[in-house]
């Protein structure tokens, strides 16, 4: 099994944060006030990177 990315979701007040760590060490941070939106942002980012 190959690790593609590590995703950490956190919340500070009303803002949700998603931290995506790639195997290269690159870190992408996304934020949104809506939980479903931040999950969609994560899915879109990973799809753009790894989707076919």
């Amino acid at each position: 099994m190959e690790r593609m990315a590590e995703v950490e979701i956190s919340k500070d007040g009303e803002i949700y944060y998603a931290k995506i760590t790639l195997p290269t060490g690159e870190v992408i941070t996304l934020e949104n006030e809506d939980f479903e939106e931040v999950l969609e942002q994560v899915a879109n980012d990973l799809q753009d990177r790894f989707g076919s």
Side-chain angles (χ1 to χ4, degrees), residues 19-22 25-29:
K19 181 172 119 178
I20 304 169
T21 305
L22 302 174
E26 180 182 1
V27 176
I28 298 96
T29 303

Side-chain angles (χ1 to χ4, degrees), residues 19-39:
K19 181 172 119 178
I20 304 169
T21 305
L22 302 174
T24 61
E26 180 182 1
V27 176
I28 298 96
T29 303
L30 306 169
E31 61 182 74
N32 202 298
E33 291 181 3
D34 184 272
F35 182 69
E36 289 182 19
E37 289 289 328
V38 83
L39 292 179

